[in-house]
Amino acid sequence: MIIDGQQAGPFVREELKYHNIRPESMVWREGLENWVAASALPELADLFALQQPPVYPGMQQPSMQQPVYGQEFTARPAYGPQPSGMQSEPIPHTNWLPWAIVCTVLGCMTSCITLILGIIGIVQANKANDMYNRGNRALGDSANSSAKTVTICGLILGVISIIGMIFLFATGYFTHMMAIIDALD
């Protein structure tokens, strides 16, 4: 879609009404050779029947219609230029979310640093999964790389912490330190 003289998008059909689409707005979608007026596309006709007022930042936006439970989700065509690195189908990838969750649980048992790295790993893995599902390989790869790095670092720190605790218990150092603390009371 052309907004203020610049290409914007891609947008799914439901998003177009929030960008104040008009019948004369120029749009493009996969399968079209050139940009056309939005009124020329039959699949957009109902957007002009009841024109919604524009939604401005800070205003509550109506929620997008979600698929009903049990109903299969079908992707809708995106309107506007297809950015490089974007595909129309989800991209298979290594999902770091389960490992990030393990890292977070390990961090709860060992150290705050491992816990923080696990949480960052969860956030980045979710972002990567979302980008891959949207077909955006570039942003998905970037977030997936971040998720992998922080998760592996967190897992290494967690394992080192566990080995350190085992060493303290096995050598009796922990018991010795507890005796010293009791003697100070």
mmCIF file with all atom_site columns, all heavy atoms in Angstrom, residues 70-95:
data_model
loop_
_atom_site.group_PDB
_atom_site.id
_atom_site.type_symbol
_atom_site.label_atom_id
_atom_site.label_alt_id
_atom_site.label_comp_id
_atom_site.label_asym_id
_atom_site.label_entity_id
_atom_site.label_seq_id
_atom_site.pdbx_PDB_ins_code
_atom_site.Cartn_x
_atom_site.Cartn_y
_atom_site.Cartn_z
_atom_site.occupancy
_atom_site.B_iso_or_equiv
_atom_site.pdbx_formal_charge
_atom_site.auth_seq_id
_atom_site.auth_comp_id
_atom_site.auth_asym_id
_atom_site.auth_atom_id
_atom_site.pdbx_PDB_model_num
ATOM 1   N N   . GLY A 1 70 ? -10.131 -24.906 17.161 1.00 0.00 ? 70 GLY A N   1
ATOM 2   C CA  . GLY A 1 70 ? -10.450 -26.064 16.335 1.00 0.00 ? 70 GLY A CA  1
ATOM 3   C C   . GLY A 1 70 ? -10.550 -25.724 14.854 1.00 0.00 ? 70 GLY A C   1
ATOM 4   O O   . GLY A 1 70 ? -10.524 -26.599 14.013 1.00 0.00 ? 70 GLY A O   1
ATOM 5   N N   . GLN A 1 71 ? -10.656 -24.429 14.543 1.00 0.00 ? 71 GLN A N   1
ATOM 6   C CA  . GLN A 1 71 ? -10.739 -24.011 13.145 1.00 0.00 ? 71 GLN A CA  1
ATOM 7   C C   . GLN A 1 71 ? -9.312  -23.834 12.614 1.00 0.00 ? 71 GLN A C   1
ATOM 8   O O   . GLN A 1 71 ? -8.458  -23.270 13.289 1.00 0.00 ? 71 GLN A O   1
ATOM 9   C CB  . GLN A 1 71 ? -11.481 -22.679 13.061 1.00 0.00 ? 71 GLN A CB  1
ATOM 10  C CG  . GLN A 1 71 ? -11.609 -22.114 11.661 1.00 0.00 ? 71 GLN A CG  1
ATOM 11  C CD  . GLN A 1 71 ? -12.290 -20.754 11.687 1.00 0.00 ? 71 GLN A CD  1
ATOM 12  O OE1 . GLN A 1 71 ? -12.197 -20.022 12.652 1.00 0.00 ? 71 GLN A OE1 1
ATOM 13  N NE2 . GLN A 1 71 ? -12.969 -20.431 10.613 1.00 0.00 ? 71 GLN A NE2 1
ATOM 14  N N   . GLU A 1 72 ? -9.051  -24.339 11.446 1.00 0.00 ? 72 GLU A N   1
ATOM 15  C CA  . GLU A 1 72 ? -7.713  -24.257 10.875 1.00 0.00 ? 72 GLU A CA  1
ATOM 16  C C   . GLU A 1 72 ? -7.424  -22.825 10.453 1.00 0.00 ? 72 GLU A C   1
ATOM 17  O O   . GLU A 1 72 ? -8.249  -22.137 9.872  1.00 0.00 ? 72 GLU A O   1
ATOM 18  C CB  . GLU A 1 72 ? -7.590  -25.193 9.679  1.00 0.00 ? 72 GLU A CB  1
ATOM 19  C CG  . GLU A 1 72 ? -6.186  -25.285 9.152  1.00 0.00 ? 72 GLU A CG  1
ATOM 20  C CD  . GLU A 1 72 ? -6.054  -26.339 8.077  1.00 0.00 ? 72 GLU A CD  1
ATOM 21  O OE1 . GLU A 1 72 ? -6.675  -27.409 8.227  1.00 0.00 ? 72 GLU A OE1 1
ATOM 22  O OE2 . GLU A 1 72 ? -5.346  -26.083 7.099  1.00 0.00 ? 72 GLU A OE2 1
ATOM 23  N N   . PHE A 1 73 ? -6.223  -22.362 10.783 1.00 0.00 ? 73 PHE A N   1
ATOM 24  C CA  . PHE A 1 73 ? -5.793  -21.021 10.400 1.00 0.00 ? 73 PHE A CA  1
ATOM 25  C C   . PHE A 1 73 ? -5.337  -21.035 8.955  1.00 0.00 ? 73 PHE A C   1
ATOM 26  O O   . PHE A 1 73 ? -4.576  -21.888 8.544  1.00 0.00 ? 73 PHE A O   1
ATOM 27  C CB  . PHE A 1 73 ? -4.648  -20.547 11.294 1.00 0.00 ? 73 PHE A CB  1
ATOM 28  C CG  . PHE A 1 73 ? -4.104  -19.213 10.882 1.00 0.00 ? 73 PHE A CG  1
ATOM 29  C CD1 . PHE A 1 73 ? -4.782  -18.054 11.199 1.00 0.00 ? 73 PHE A CD1 1
ATOM 30  C CD2 . PHE A 1 73 ? -2.931  -19.114 10.164 1.00 0.00 ? 73 PHE A CD2 1
ATOM 31  C CE1 . PHE A 1 73 ? -4.292  -16.823 10.817 1.00 0.00 ? 73 PHE A CE1 1
ATOM 32  C CE2 . PHE A 1 73 ? -2.433  -17.894 9.781  1.00 0.00 ? 73 PHE A CE2 1
ATOM 33  C CZ  . PHE A 1 73 ? -3.118  -16.747 10.111 1.00 0.00 ? 73 PHE A CZ  1
ATOM 34  N N   . THR A 1 74 ? -5.827  -20.078 8.178  1.00 0.00 ? 74 THR A N   1
ATOM 35  C CA  . THR A 1 74 ? -5.376  -19.959 6.794  1.00 0.00 ? 74 THR A CA  1
ATOM 36  C C   . THR A 1 74 ? -4.741  -18.592 6.622  1.00 0.00 ? 74 THR A C   1
ATOM 37  O O   . THR A 1 74 ? -5.308  -17.583 7.037  1.00 0.00 ? 74 THR A O   1
ATOM 38  C CB  . THR A 1 74 ? -6.549  -20.110 5.798  1.00 0.00 ? 74 THR A CB  1
ATOM 39  O OG1 . THR A 1 74 ? -7.558  -19.152 6.130  1.00 0.00 ? 74 THR A OG1 1
ATOM 40  C CG2 . THR A 1 74 ? -7.123  -21.505 5.855  1.00 0.00 ? 74 THR A CG2 1
ATOM 41  N N   . ALA A 1 75 ? -3.574  -18.570 6.053  1.00 0.00 ? 75 ALA A N   1
ATOM 42  C CA  . ALA A 1 75 ? -2.873  -17.304 5.829  1.00 0.00 ? 75 ALA A CA  1
ATOM 43  C C   . ALA A 1 75 ? -3.599  -16.501 4.761  1.00 0.00 ? 75 ALA A C   1
ATOM 44  O O   . ALA A 1 75 ? -4.132  -17.055 3.813  1.00 0.00 ? 75 ALA A O   1
ATOM 45  C CB  . ALA A 1 75 ? -1.435  -17.569 5.404  1.00 0.00 ? 75 ALA A CB  1
ATOM 46  N N   . ARG A 1 76 ? -3.611  -15.194 4.961  1.00 0.00 ? 76 ARG A N   1
ATOM 47  C CA  . ARG A 1 76 ? -4.248  -14.307 3.994  1.00 0.00 ? 76 ARG A CA  1
ATOM 48  C C   . ARG A 1 76 ? -3.156  -13.617 3.191  1.00 0.00 ? 76 ARG A C   1
ATOM 49  O O   . ARG A 1 76 ? -2.058  -13.412 3.686  1.00 0.00 ? 76 ARG A O   1
ATOM 50  C CB  . ARG A 1 76 ? -5.102  -13.295 4.747  1.00 0.00 ? 76 ARG A CB  1
ATOM 51  C CG  . ARG A 1 76 ? -6.281  -13.995 5.409  1.00 0.00 ? 76 ARG A CG  1
ATOM 52  C CD  . ARG A 1 76 ? -6.991  -13.035 6.357  1.00 0.00 ? 76 ARG A CD  1
ATOM 53  N NE  . ARG A 1 76 ? -8.130  -13.666 6.966  1.00 0.00 ? 76 ARG A NE  1
ATOM 54  C CZ  . ARG A 1 76 ? -8.069  -14.430 8.043  1.00 0.00 ? 76 ARG A CZ  1
ATOM 55  N NH1 . ARG A 1 76 ? -6.926  -14.691 8.604  1.00 0.00 ? 76 ARG A NH1 1
ATOM 56  N NH2 . ARG A 1 76 ? -9.154  -14.959 8.557  1.00 0.00 ? 76 ARG A NH2 1
ATOM 57  N N   . PRO A 1 77 ? -3.464  -13.200 1.972  1.00 0.00 ? 77 PRO A N   1
ATOM 58  C CA  . PRO A 1 77 ? -2.419  -12.546 1.183  1.00 0.00 ? 77 PRO A CA  1
ATOM 59  C C   . PRO A 1 77 ? -2.021  -11.214 1.802  1.00 0.00 ? 77 PRO A C   1
ATOM 60  O O   . PRO A 1 77 ? -2.845  -10.531 2.393  1.00 0.00 ? 77 PRO A O   1
ATOM 61  C CB  . PRO A 1 77 ? -3.083  -12.348 -0.184 1.00 0.00 ? 77 PRO A CB  1
ATOM 62  C CG  . PRO A 1 77 ? -4.542  -12.386 0.086  1.00 0.00 ? 77 PRO A CG  1
ATOM 63  C CD  . PRO A 1 77 ? -4.729  -13.294 1.268  1.00 0.00 ? 77 PRO A CD  1
ATOM 64  N N   . ALA A 1 78 ? -0.755  -10.877 1.704  1.00 0.00 ? 78 ALA A N   1
ATOM 65  C CA  . ALA A 1 78 ? -0.260  -9.605  2.204  1.00 0.00 ? 78 ALA A CA  1
ATOM 66  C C   . ALA A 1 78 ? -0.289  -8.596  1.060  1.00 0.00 ? 78 ALA A C   1
ATOM 67  O O   . ALA A 1 78 ? 0.037   -8.929  -0.067 1.00 0.00 ? 78 ALA A O   1
ATOM 68  C CB  . ALA A 1 78 ? 1.164   -9.768  2.733  1.00 0.00 ? 78 ALA A CB  1
ATOM 69  N N   . TYR A 1 79 ? -0.684  -7.366  1.353  1.00 0.00 ? 79 TYR A N   1
ATOM 70  C CA  . TYR A 1 79 ? -0.762  -6.307  0.362  1.00 0.00 ? 79 TYR A CA  1
ATOM 71  C C   . TYR A 1 79 ? 0.392   -5.360  0.575  1.00 0.00 ? 79 TYR A C   1
ATOM 72  O O   . TYR A 1 79 ? 0.705   -4.980  1.682  1.00 0.00 ? 79 TYR A O   1
ATOM 73  C CB  . TYR A 1 79 ? -2.106  -5.561  0.467  1.00 0.00 ? 79 TYR A CB  1
ATOM 74  C CG  . TYR A 1 79 ? -3.268  -6.456  0.142  1.00 0.00 ? 79 TYR A CG  1
ATOM 75  C CD1 . TYR A 1 79 ? -3.837  -7.259  1.107  1.00 0.00 ? 79 TYR A CD1 1
ATOM 76  C CD2 . TYR A 1 79 ? -3.750  -6.534  -1.147 1.00 0.00 ? 79 TYR A CD2 1
ATOM 77  C CE1 . TYR A 1 79 ? -4.884  -8.107  0.793  1.00 0.00 ? 79 TYR A CE1 1
ATOM 78  C CE2 . TYR A 1 79 ? -4.787  -7.377  -1.474 1.00 0.00 ? 79 TYR A CE2 1
ATOM 79  C CZ  . TYR A 1 79 ? -5.352  -8.159  -0.490 1.00 0.00 ? 79 TYR A CZ  1
ATOM 80  O OH  . TYR A 1 79 ? -6.374  -9.005  -0.808 1.00 0.00 ? 79 TYR A OH  1
ATOM 81  N N   . GLY A 1 80 ? 1.037   -4.959  -0.486 1.00 0.00 ? 80 GLY A N   1
ATOM 82  C CA  . GLY A 1 80 ? 2.184   -4.076  -0.405 1.00 0.00 ? 80 GLY A CA  1
ATOM 83  C C   . GLY A 1 80 ? 3.407   -4.819  -0.889 1.00 0.00 ? 80 GLY A C   1
ATOM 84  O O   . GLY A 1 80 ? 3.341   -5.989  -1.252 1.00 0.00 ? 80 GLY A O   1
ATOM 85  N N   . PRO A 1 81 ? 4.553   -4.153  -0.910 1.00 0.00 ? 81 PRO A N   1
ATOM 86  C CA  . PRO A 1 81 ? 5.753   -4.807  -1.419 1.00 0.00 ? 81 PRO A CA  1
ATOM 87  C C   . PRO A 1 81 ? 6.180   -5.925  -0.482 1.00 0.00 ? 81 PRO A C   1
ATOM 88  O O   . PRO A 1 81 ? 6.067   -5.809  0.723  1.00 0.00 ? 81 PRO A O   1
ATOM 89  C CB  . PRO A 1 81 ? 6.787   -3.681  -1.452 1.00 0.00 ? 81 PRO A CB  1
ATOM 90  C CG  . PRO A 1 81 ? 6.305   -2.705  -0.446 1.00 0.00 ? 81 PRO A CG  1
ATOM 91  C CD  . PRO A 1 81 ? 4.807   -2.790  -0.453 1.00 0.00 ? 81 PRO A CD  1
ATOM 92  N N   . GLN A 1 82 ? 6.654   -7.010  -1.031 1.00 0.00 ? 82 GLN A N   1
ATOM 93  C CA  . GLN A 1 82 ? 7.153   -8.136  -0.250 1.00 0.00 ? 82 GLN A CA  1
ATOM 94  C C   . GLN A 1 82 ? 8.612   -7.842  0.075  1.00 0.00 ? 82 GLN A C   1
ATOM 95  O O   . GLN A 1 82 ? 9.447   -7.848  -0.806 1.00 0.00 ? 82 GLN A O   1
ATOM 96  C CB  . GLN A 1 82 ? 7.014   -9.427  -1.061 1.00 0.00 ? 82 GLN A CB  1
ATOM 97  C CG  . GLN A 1 82 ? 7.258   -10.672 -0.265 1.00 0.00 ? 82 GLN A CG  1
ATOM 98  C CD  . GLN A 1 82 ? 6.085   -11.068 0.603  1.00 0.00 ? 82 GLN A CD  1
ATOM 99  O OE1 . GLN A 1 82 ? 5.096   -10.373 0.679  1.00 0.00 ? 82 GLN A OE1 1
ATOM 100 N NE2 . GLN A 1 82 ? 6.213   -12.165 1.275  1.00 0.00 ? 82 GLN A NE2 1
ATOM 101 N N   . PRO A 1 83 ? 8.942   -7.540  1.363  1.00 0.00 ? 83 PRO A N   1
ATOM 102 C CA  . PRO A 1 83 ? 10.331  -7.235  1.695  1.00 0.00 ? 83 PRO A CA  1
ATOM 103 C C   . PRO A 1 83 ? 11.232  -8.429  1.419  1.00 0.00 ? 83 PRO A C   1
ATOM 104 O O   . PRO A 1 83 ? 10.789  -9.569  1.462  1.00 0.00 ? 83 PRO A O   1
ATOM 105 C CB  . PRO A 1 83 ? 10.289  -6.939  3.200  1.00 0.00 ? 83 PRO A CB  1
ATOM 106 C CG  . PRO A 1 83 ? 8.864   -6.666  3.520  1.00 0.00 ? 83 PRO A CG  1
ATOM 107 C CD  . PRO A 1 83 ? 8.065   -7.421  2.508  1.00 0.00 ? 83 PRO A CD  1
ATOM 108 N N   . SER A 1 84 ? 12.504  -8.145  1.159  1.00 0.00 ? 84 SER A N   1
ATOM 109 C CA  . SER A 1 84 ? 13.436  -9.239  0.929  1.00 0.00 ? 84 SER A CA  1
ATOM 110 C C   . SER A 1 84 ? 13.561  -10.050 2.209  1.00 0.00 ? 84 SER A C   1
ATOM 111 O O   . SER A 1 84 ? 13.519  -9.511  3.299  1.00 0.00 ? 84 SER A O   1
ATOM 112 C CB  . SER A 1 84 ? 14.800  -8.692  0.517  1.00 0.00 ? 84 SER A CB  1
ATOM 113 O OG  . SER A 1 84 ? 15.316  -7.879  1.551  1.00 0.00 ? 84 SER A OG  1
ATOM 114 N N   . GLY A 1 85 ? 13.712  -11.349 2.070  1.00 0.00 ? 85 GLY A N   1
ATOM 115 C CA  . GLY A 1 85 ? 13.807  -12.229 3.224  1.00 0.00 ? 85 GLY A CA  1
ATOM 116 C C   . GLY A 1 85 ? 12.460  -12.717 3.708  1.00 0.00 ? 85 GLY A C   1
ATOM 117 O O   . GLY A 1 85 ? 12.375  -13.478 4.649  1.00 0.00 ? 85 GLY A O   1
ATOM 118 N N   . MET A 1 86 ? 11.362  -12.270 3.094  1.00 0.00 ? 86 MET A N   1
ATOM 119 C CA  . MET A 1 86 ? 10.021  -12.673 3.525  1.00 0.00 ? 86 MET A CA  1
ATOM 120 C C   . MET A 1 86 ? 9.525   -13.796 2.627  1.00 0.00 ? 86 MET A C   1
ATOM 121 O O   . MET A 1 86 ? 9.736   -13.783 1.433  1.00 0.00 ? 86 MET A O   1
ATOM 122 C CB  . MET A 1 86 ? 9.040   -11.501 3.435  1.00 0.00 ? 86 MET A CB  1
ATOM 123 C CG  . MET A 1 86 ? 9.336   -10.361 4.362  1.00 0.00 ? 86 MET A CG  1
ATOM 124 S SD  . MET A 1 86 ? 8.791   -10.657 6.021  1.00 0.00 ? 86 MET A SD  1
ATOM 125 C CE  . MET A 1 86 ? 7.039   -10.564 5.843  1.00 0.00 ? 86 MET A CE  1
ATOM 126 N N   . GLN A 1 87 ? 8.862   -14.762 3.249  1.00 0.00 ? 87 GLN A N   1
ATOM 127 C CA  . GLN A 1 87 ? 8.232   -15.842 2.513  1.00 0.00 ? 87 GLN A CA  1
ATOM 128 C C   . GLN A 1 87 ? 6.792   -15.926 2.971  1.00 0.00 ? 87 GLN A C   1
ATOM 129 O O   . GLN A 1 87 ? 6.436   -15.440 4.037  1.00 0.00 ? 87 GLN A O   1
ATOM 130 C CB  . GLN A 1 87 ? 8.953   -17.165 2.774  1.00 0.00 ? 87 GLN A CB  1
ATOM 131 C CG  . GLN A 1 87 ? 10.384  -17.167 2.302  1.00 0.00 ? 87 GLN A CG  1
ATOM 132 C CD  . GLN A 1 87 ? 11.078  -18.489 2.626  1.00 0.00 ? 87 GLN A CD  1
ATOM 133 O OE1 . GLN A 1 87 ? 10.489  -19.391 3.187  1.00 0.00 ? 87 GLN A OE1 1
ATOM 134 N NE2 . GLN A 1 87 ? 12.328  -18.574 2.259  1.00 0.00 ? 87 GLN A NE2 1
ATOM 135 N N   . SER A 1 88 ? 5.951   -16.577 2.187  1.00 0.00 ? 88 SER A N   1
ATOM 136 C CA  . SER A 1 88 ? 4.540   -16.640 2.539  1.00 0.00 ? 88 SER A CA  1
ATOM 137 C C   . SER A 1 88 ? 4.228   -17.790 3.480  1.00 0.00 ? 88 SER A C   1
ATOM 138 O O   . SER A 1 88 ? 3.153   -17.849 4.032  1.00 0.00 ? 88 SER A O   1
ATOM 139 C CB  . SER A 1 88 ? 3.696   -16.761 1.273  1.00 0.00 ? 88 SER A CB  1
ATOM 140 O OG  . SER A 1 88 ? 4.065   -17.938 0.571  1.00 0.00 ? 88 SER A OG  1
ATOM 141 N N   . GLU A 1 89 ? 5.141   -18.703 3.705  1.00 0.00 ? 89 GLU A N   1
ATOM 142 C CA  . GLU A 1 89 ? 4.887   -19.853 4.559  1.00 0.00 ? 89 GLU A CA  1
ATOM 143 C C   . GLU A 1 89 ? 5.861   -19.839 5.730  1.00 0.00 ? 89 GLU A C   1
ATOM 144 O O   . GLU A 1 89 ? 6.950   -19.277 5.640  1.00 0.00 ? 89 GLU A O   1
ATOM 145 C CB  . GLU A 1 89 ? 5.050   -21.144 3.752  1.00 0.00 ? 89 GLU A CB  1
ATOM 146 C CG  . GLU A 1 89 ? 4.169   -21.139 2.536  1.00 0.00 ? 89 GLU A CG  1
ATOM 147 C CD  . GLU A 1 89 ? 3.610   -22.511 2.248  1.00 0.00 ? 89 GLU A CD  1
ATOM 148 O OE1 . GLU A 1 89 ? 3.939   -23.449 2.959  1.00 0.00 ? 89 GLU A OE1 1
ATOM 149 O OE2 . GLU A 1 89 ? 2.825   -22.605 1.305  1.00 0.00 ? 89 GLU A OE2 1
ATOM 150 N N   . PRO A 1 90 ? 5.497   -20.487 6.866  1.00 0.00 ? 90 PRO A N   1
ATOM 151 C CA  . PRO A 1 90 ? 6.425   -20.562 7.993  1.00 0.00 ? 90 PRO A CA  1
ATOM 152 C C   . PRO A 1 90 ? 7.732   -21.244 7.572  1.00 0.00 ? 90 PRO A C   1
ATOM 153 O O   . PRO A 1 90 ? 7.742   -22.131 6.736  1.00 0.00 ? 90 PRO A O   1
ATOM 154 C CB  . PRO A 1 90 ? 5.678   -21.414 9.018  1.00 0.00 ? 90 PRO A CB  1
ATOM 155 C CG  . PRO A 1 90 ? 4.236   -21.302 8.644  1.00 0.00 ? 90 PRO A CG  1
ATOM 156 C CD  . PRO A 1 90 ? 4.212   -21.100 7.157  1.00 0.00 ? 90 PRO A CD  1
ATOM 157 N N   . ILE A 1 91 ? 8.812   -20.805 8.167  1.00 0.00 ? 91 ILE A N   1
ATOM 158 C CA  . ILE A 1 91 ? 10.138  -21.299 7.815  1.00 0.00 ? 91 ILE A CA  1
ATOM 159 C C   . ILE A 1 91 ? 10.579  -22.315 8.871  1.00 0.00 ? 91 ILE A C   1
ATOM 160 O O   . ILE A 1 91 ? 10.562  -22.013 10.059 1.00 0.00 ? 91 ILE A O   1
ATOM 161 C CB  . ILE A 1 91 ? 11.141  -20.126 7.764  1.00 0.00 ? 91 ILE A CB  1
ATOM 162 C CG1 . ILE A 1 91 ? 10.681  -19.112 6.719  1.00 0.00 ? 91 ILE A CG1 1
ATOM 163 C CG2 . ILE A 1 91 ? 12.548  -20.621 7.488  1.00 0.00 ? 91 ILE A CG2 1
ATOM 164 C CD1 . ILE A 1 91 ? 11.380  -17.789 6.796  1.00 0.00 ? 91 ILE A CD1 1
ATOM 165 N N   . PRO A 1 92 ? 10.974  -23.531 8.455  1.00 0.00 ? 92 PRO A N   1
ATOM 166 C CA  . PRO A 1 92 ? 11.469  -24.492 9.435  1.00 0.00 ? 92 PRO A CA  1
ATOM 167 C C   . PRO A 1 92 ? 12.778  -23.985 10.049 1.00 0.00 ? 92 PRO A C   1
ATOM 168 O O   . PRO A 1 92 ? 13.602  -23.388 9.361  1.00 0.00 ? 92 PRO A O   1
ATOM 169 C CB  . PRO A 1 92 ? 11.689  -25.777 8.631  1.00 0.00 ? 92 PRO A CB  1
ATOM 170 C CG  . PRO A 1 92 ? 11.624  -25.387 7.201  1.00 0.00 ? 92 PRO A CG  1
ATOM 171 C CD  . PRO A 1 92 ? 10.972  -24.051 7.097  1.00 0.00 ? 92 PRO A CD  1
ATOM 172 N N   . HIS A 1 93 ? 12.940  -24.208 11.360 1.00 0.00 ? 93 HIS A N   1
ATOM 173 C CA  . HIS A 1 93 ? 14.115  -23.705 12.051 1.00 0.00 ? 93 HIS A CA  1
ATOM 174 C C   . HIS A 1 93 ? 14.344  -24.486 13.342 1.00 0.00 ? 93 HIS A C   1
ATOM 175 O O   . HIS A 1 93 ? 13.487  -25.248 13.771 1.00 0.00 ? 93 HIS A O   1
ATOM 176 C CB  . HIS A 1 93 ? 13.939  -22.219 12.375 1.00 0.00 ? 93 HIS A CB  1
ATOM 177 C CG  . HIS A 1 93 ? 12.816  -21.957 13.327 1.00 0.00 ? 93 HIS A CG  1
ATOM 178 N ND1 . HIS A 1 93 ? 11.499  -21.988 12.936 1.00 0.00 ? 93 HIS A ND1 1
ATOM 179 C CD2 . HIS A 1 93 ? 12.808  -21.693 14.655 1.00 0.00 ? 93 HIS A CD2 1
ATOM 180 C CE1 . HIS A 1 93 ? 10.723  -21.741 13.977 1.00 0.00 ? 93 HIS A CE1 1
ATOM 181 N NE2 . HIS A 1 93 ? 11.486  -21.562 15.026 1.00 0.00 ? 93 HIS A NE2 1
ATOM 182 N N   . THR A 1 94 ? 15.496  -24.268 13.962 1.00 0.00 ? 94 THR A N   1
ATOM 183 C CA  . THR A 1 94 ? 15.774  -24.853 15.273 1.00 0.00 ? 94 THR A CA  1
ATOM 184 C C   . THR A 1 94 ? 15.090  -23.990 16.321 1.00 0.00 ? 94 THR A C   1
ATOM 185 O O   . THR A 1 94 ? 15.355  -22.796 16.416 1.00 0.00 ? 94 THR A O   1
ATOM 186 C CB  . THR A 1 94 ? 17.300  -24.891 15.544 1.00 0.00 ? 94 THR A CB  1
ATOM 187 O OG1 . THR A 1 94 ? 17.917  -25.634 14.509 1.00 0.00 ? 94 THR A OG1 1
ATOM 188 C CG2 . THR A 1 94 ? 17.585  -25.518 16.887 1.00 0.00 ? 94 THR A CG2 1
ATOM 189 N N   . ASN A 1 95 ? 14.225  -24.602 17.108 1.00 0.00 ? 95 ASN A N   1
ATOM 190 C CA  . ASN A 1 95 ? 13.470  -23.875 18.117 1.00 0.00 ? 95 ASN A CA  1
ATOM 191 C C   . ASN A 1 95 ? 14.247  -23.905 19.433 1.00 0.00 ? 95 ASN A C   1
ATOM 192 O O   . ASN A 1 95 ? 14.388  -24.956 20.052 1.00 0.00 ? 95 ASN A O   1
ATOM 193 C CB  . ASN A 1 95 ? 12.087  -24.522 18.280 1.00 0.00 ? 95 ASN A CB  1
ATOM 194 C CG  . ASN A 1 95 ? 11.185  -23.740 19.196 1.00 0.00 ? 95 ASN A CG  1
ATOM 195 O OD1 . ASN A 1 95 ? 11.594  -22.740 19.780 1.00 0.00 ? 95 ASN A OD1 1
ATOM 196 N ND2 . ASN A 1 95 ? 9.968   -24.197 19.330 1.00 0.00 ? 95 ASN A ND2 1
#
